[in-house]
Amino acid sequence: MIPLAEHERLAAAVCFSRELDDVVVATLAGGDALADERWRVYREMIRSRFRKVVQAALPRTTHVLGDRFEARFAAWLDEAPPDTRFFREVPVGFAHHVEAWLASPGAADLPAFTADIARYEIARWRVLAAPDDEPAQELSFERPPQLTRSLALLDVTHAVHAKKKGPPKAGVAHLAIYRAPKDDAFEAVTLELNELARDLLRAWSDPSETPLAARVQAVTQARGTAIDERFLEGLGTLLEDLLRRGVVLGSR
Amino acid sequence: MAREFLARIPDEVAFVEVHPENYVGRGGLYRRNLDRARDRYPVLTHGLTLGFGSTEPFDRAFLADVRAFLDSVNAPWHSDHLCFGGAGDAFVHDLLPIPFTDESVKTAARRITEMRDALDRPVAFENLSYYVPLAKDPLDEARFCVEVAEHADCAIMLDVNNVFVNSRNFGFDPRKWIDLVPAHRVVQMHVAGHLVRPDGLRIDTHGEPVPDGVYELLDYTLRKLGPRPVLLERDNDIPSLDELLAEVRRLNEVYAAATSAGVSSVPSTTTTTSTSTTTTASTSSSHAEVAK
């Protein structure tokens, strides 16, 4: 009888290896033909469950990968199997794997928007499960801002968020994705920001204790933006909109 | 399903069971549905990723999160599986069987004790559906479970469907398996449906109605061990709520018939919030359950 730790290591290898090694299965099965067959059943069940959750979270990515999906899926499990105990987070690993692979020569023939689609889909998937927010204080420029924990900020080079049919058009976009109530459930909402709004939201998302006013000043200084009447009016409109949406909750 | 279930709050359901892994660190719809369910039902908890057969050390931060979650729902005990779920940092998100060895007994007993201390409440393990032959005598699994329970001095979350599935896959009388179980250890039970593959192998999918054979074994088990909360598990291919509640009513009938004629036994290691009928209705995704 093999030690328990070795039993577990071999079982994981059976489940995750790109190519199933008959010797590994036979060792795990202790030479028993039925056990050998049944460990292969486990492999198929486990991989099927992973495949389903990945396809549910990343339908457009899966579609774009087409007949190359299976090879990517197998490579992901082999090279970087899920390291999260949260089943909902399993597709995140696959999305990261695809994004990294897309930079390789082997993926050169895939559309340039593929990485953006993967990043966009996984961001929308994650905001729906993000932790709930703590109550905030009334917004004050003298205190650090409190934003929703479901917010994801994403820069893309193709309009993967556009609802138009057909391939996403090239063009840089700055996206804010957050969870909002809809009917008796929730939905992931996408906002398109201009560059200044993107920089402000990034600065406000920082968990430091820096007050809101100082964060605004830091962004304007870095960008060379004057804090004039027009800017203040725009800032007020932005804050009002984000407060109404529940993206900015108030102050900490 | 969850929306309809929570709108109707069906009387057939007595409690719900949830997996902490589906709620820890998660907000939105899952958390809101749980809060609504808690307003009406007692909540039991059942883990998926802290298998007692694992040789990996516990993630202490996650154990602390689980404890906070159990406190928040006032869980009287917590259960997980007599299995392992990966190796190293990798999670298979399935329940893999461990050999019935002394090493496994010691490993499981140590982890159960450690979890009980960390969670500050009774801990139970669930017997597994497994598909790989692990012993010449399949009843060795029951003896293995009893040995773990004795070594850890813990409770058993008896999955009646799993005993049934194993009995069909490995050819033994499931009543003999049940006969080996010490009644005072059993704190809760599960029933579910399972898939019968074309090659005859039965897989514990929680995706089919509970078959007659499982109800019959539940009847036998309840008469033998006495009344315990019984959960109806359904995670996949979830039917309409009306269909599910019809199953719950049948379960309740089996329960009432068996327990009125059977022995009344109070679990010695737990304080239970619900000792009457039990049932579950799954809510949404593959690892979320709402029961009664």
Side-chain angles (χ1 to χ4, degrees):
Chain A
M1 187 66 72
I2 56 178
L4 189 54
E6 181 66 358
H7 173 87
E8 294 173 354
R9 190 188 67 78
L10 292 173
V14 165
C15 297
F16 292 130
S17 296
R18 190 185 329 230
E19 301 292 338
L20 188 53
D21 185 335
D22 290 341
V23 175
V24 171
V25 189
T27 305
L28 185 60
D32 183 295
L34 182 59
D36 192 297
E37 177 188 321
R38 296 285 173 80
W39 277 114
R40 294 168 196 267
V41 171
Y42 274 112
R43 172 182 167 93
E44 291 313 311
M45 288 195 305
I46 287 163
R47 296 171 82 89
S48 172
R49 186 174 300 116
F50 284 142
R51 187 180 292 107
K52 281 181 185 171
V53 74
V54 164
Q55 291 174 337
L58 302 163
R60 293 171 66 193
T61 307
T62 302
H63 178 74
V64 173
L65 290 176
D67 57 11
R68 302 176 75 174
F69 171 81
E70 281 300 326
R72 263 319 90 209
F73 177 76
W76 164 59
L77 289 181
D78 184 81
E79 296 164 16
D83 61 357
T84 173
R85 69 175 65 254
F86 302 119
F87 194 61
R88 62 184 181 271
E89 289 285 318
V90 166
V92 176
F94 181 74
H96 290 162
H97 173 87
V98 167
E99 195 180 344
W101 170 72
L102 286 167
S104 71
D109 58 323
L110 280 167
F113 53 75
T114 308
D116 280 344
I117 286 182
R119 293 166 62 225
Y120 180 62
E121 283 193 306
I122 208 63
R124 289 176 64 87
W125 176 265
R126 294 192 82 178
V127 302
L128 288 173
D132 287 331
D133 296 309
E134 301 292 332
Q137 299 179 33
E138 190 175 347
L139 185 67
S140 163
F141 278 85
E142 308 309 316
R143 299 187 59 80
Q146 182 173 331
L147 275 60
T148 177
R149 296 163 81 179
S150 76
L151 177 65
L153 298 173
L154 194 64
D155 292 331
V156 293
T157 57
H158 293 79
V160 292
H161 57 297
K163 290 183 178 173
K164 295 174 185 170
K165 288 187 177 179
K169 291 183 177 172
V172 172
H174 313 295
L175 308 179
I177 305 161
Y178 67 99
R179 182 175 67 223
K182 184 184 182 187
D183 302 327
D184 200 28
F186 293 90
E187 64 175 346
V189 175
T190 302
L191 301 177
E192 186 166 347
L193 311 171
N194 64 21
E195 206 170 277
L196 177 57
R198 185 274 313 268
D199 288 352
L200 287 167
L201 267 173
R202 270 197 188 152
W204 298 347
S205 299
D206 188 288
S208 74
E209 293 302 308
T210 308
L212 176 59
R215 295 178 193 227
V216 172
Q217 285 171 349
V219 168
T220 54
Q221 279 178 5
R223 295 179 54 84
T225 303
I227 301 182
D228 54 15
E229 191 174 335
R230 183 164 168 268
F231 173 83
L232 291 174
E233 187 179 334
L235 178 64
T237 303
L238 176 68
L239 276 172
E240 188 179 355
D241 183 47
L242 295 179
L243 280 164
R244 180 179 59 78
R245 293 176 178 277
V247 173
V248 174
L249 303 171
S251 291
R252 285 188 273 125
Chain B
M1 170 64 79
R3 188 182 307 179
E4 187 182 1
F5 179 87
L6 292 168
R8 286 169 61 174
I9 305 290
D11 289 336
E12 294 93 327
V13 173
F15 68 90
V16 301
E17 181 185 279
V18 297
H19 305 307
E21 286 87 344
N22 280 341
Y23 298 90
V24 167
R26 186 184 211 171
L29 191 59
Y30 269 60
R31 186 71 219 190
R32 192 172 72 185
N33 285 344
L34 175 60
D35 290 342
R36 289 178 178 175
R38 281 177 55 210
D39 289 343
R40 173 58 181 81
Y41 300 112
V43 174
L44 298 183
T45 56
H46 184 56
L48 295 167
T49 62
L50 293 172
F52 299 121
S54 174
T55 55
E56 301 292 336
F58 277 128
D59 176 342
R60 306 298 303 187
F62 180 66
L63 269 183
D65 288 341
V66 171
R67 176 171 177 179
F69 177 78
L70 303 187
D71 289 346
S72 75
V73 299
N74 197 26
W77 63 79
H78 182 62
S79 60
D80 209 305
H81 300 83
L82 195 50
C83 73
F84 71 102
D89 294 333
F91 288 83
V92 297
H93 289 277
D94 205 328
L95 311 170
L96 298 180
I98 52 175
F100 308 144
T101 61
D102 287 345
E103 183 192 10
S104 296
V105 169
K106 288 174 185 166
T107 298
R110 185 177 64 246
R111 282 175 70 84
I112 290 167
T113 304
E114 193 178 342
M115 181 190 281
R116 184 167 53 212
D117 290 345
L119 302 183
D120 195 27
R121 55 185 25 91
V123 164
F125 68 81
E126 178 184 330
N127 56 296
L128 215 59
S129 277
Y130 64 98
Y131 313 114
V132 175
L134 293 170
K136 287 183 179 170
D137 180 356
L139 289 177
D140 280 354
E141 188 216 357
R143 299 182 188 102
F144 173 70
C145 288
V146 172
E147 202 173 344
V148 170
E150 297 297 331
H151 268 73
D153 189 22
C154 71
I156 297 174
M157 210 306 303
L158 179 59
D159 192 310
V160 174
N161 178 59
N162 288 350
V163 176
F164 183 85
V165 165
N166 292 343
S167 76
R168 292 300 181 269
N169 284 339
F170 297 114
F172 65 90
D173 181 351
R175 296 182 179 208
K176 289 186 176 174
W177 200 105
I178 297 296
D179 288 345
L180 292 171
V181 176
H184 73 282
R185 295 275 178 203
V186 178
V187 71
Q188 187 192 344
M189 299 179 196
H190 281 175
V191 292
H194 56 267
L195 174 72
V196 184
R197 300 197 332 169
D199 63 1
L201 178 65
R202 292 174 191 248
I203 304 286
D204 179 34
T205 55
H206 299 181
E208 311 281 337
V210 179
D212 290 346
V214 171
Y215 280 124
E216 288 161 14
L217 185 59
L218 175 67
D219 177 82
Y220 179 83
T221 305
L222 288 167
R223 289 175 193 276
K224 180 90 183 173
L225 304 181
R228 299 289 190 283
V230 182
L231 183 83
L232 172 62
E233 298 182 291
R234 189 69 184 252
D235 297 309
N236 296 302
D237 294 330
I238 298 169
S240 70
L241 182 57
D242 286 334
E243 281 182 65
L244 208 50
L245 291 176
E247 276 204 89
V248 171
R249 286 191 289 275
R250 181 172 180 195
L251 170 58
N252 289 346
E253 288 168 10
V254 170
Y255 188 95
T259 54
S260 63
V263 182
S264 177
S265 174
V266 177
S268 62
T269 57
T270 65
T271 53
T272 175
T273 56
S274 171
T275 54
S276 61
T277 53
T278 339
T279 12
T280 322
S282 259
T283 49
S284 47
S285 79
S286 69
H287 284 86
E289 292 167 81
V290 171
K292 158 179 181 173

